[in-house]
Amino acid sequence: MKYEGNIGIIGHPIGHSKSPVFQQVALDHHSIVEKFRAWDVSPDDLPEIMGHFKSDDFMAACVTLPHKINIIPYVDELTRTAKQVGAVNWVFKKNGNLVGHNTDCSGFIRSLKDQTGLDPQSKTVLVFGAGGACRAIIYGLKDSGAKKIIIANRTLVKAEQLVNDFSDYNTQISAIPLDKENIKNIVRDCQLIVNTTSIGMSGGPLPKDSPLYSENIPPGIVGYDIVYAPVETPFLKEVQKAGGTFGNGISMLVYQGIEGFEMATGLDAPVEKMFAAFNKV
Ligand code: ATR
């Protein structure tokens, strides 16, 4: 197989991706004469496209499922962020080397601030879930100076693993089971709740459920759901019912791309134009 182009997104399948549309707007805005490609790469073809990325003209690639972890052995270096998150969602070229980085974490923080106005600095946060996507959320919160993070997960041992991986002097992290009585008491001290489980996701195991209901949600809370289908999940409806402010995961998708574009080119991304293009598709 012969790959063409110097910037794009790799995934499998990739046909649904909106990245080529909103990234092209940014390239055009800066008069960069490149086409943002959608490379459909199966796991078997990963070594071949990584060879293509070694070419002199290669700029950057956004990385999506199923390659975020299995691309790691093929890059020359990982940034500290990618190392800690344990996943790569952008590859850049630096001094001839392929560098794997992660912008899901900073994309989440920008999306949270943009939609809810909340800065996690010094805050106490309850996070539901301890899966792959949760690692970027925990890193983003920690990096933004969150004071305390409580991870509630059905499988406690997975939450405890995250405590081991991320706890440090600046951010106190603890793990609890996904137990409604326990959570009811803890949530009173929290300023932010983030859902990273698939509870409430269309097509998921419990599409109509929420990890927490309005009677147990304090009125001043900020709720964020990384699930973006549906746009307003049952959890976000409960936050709204309780009188809280909420944000959904759609703009996280755009912001991870905006952060990636800015790192790949060293230029400011035309944020509004990119959102307009994303919303049009
Ligand atoms: P992702 O990589 O998108 O985070 P994942 O690794 O499968 O996906 O994680 C899904 C998260 O949703 C996990 O925290 C999972 O809990 P477990 O670690 O106990 O599996 C959570 N989850 C999925 N279905 C759930 C359910 N029916 N009830 C409670 N939690 C659920």
Side-chain angles (χ1 to χ4, degrees), residues 37 74 78 93 95 113 116 137 164 186 209:
R37 312 277 169 160
Y74 296 99
L78 288 175
K93 195 69 160 292
N95 304 327
K113 286 184 181 169
T116 70
I137 302 301
N164 275 341
I186 280 169
D209 281 17

Side-chain angles (χ1 to χ4, degrees), residues 133-154:
C134 185
R135 294 184 68 90
I137 302 301
I138 303 285
Y139 184 87
L141 290 169
K142 206 176 106 121
D143 198 45
S144 309
K147 186 177 74 183
K148 208 165 157 187
I149 302 171
I150 302 124
I151 306 169
N153 197 46
R154 179 178 60 179

Side-chain angles (χ1 to χ4, degrees), residues 65 69 128-135 151-159 162 178 195-201 204-206 209 211 226-227:
L65 301 177
I69 296 173
F128 289 117
C134 185
R135 294 184 68 90
I151 306 169
N153 197 46
R154 179 178 60 179
T155 312
L156 185 60
V157 68
K158 281 164 76 179
L162 292 183
L178 201 60
N195 178 40
T196 76
T197 71
S198 40
I199 300 172
M201 183 171 79
L206 300 165
D209 281 17
I226 69 162
V227 170

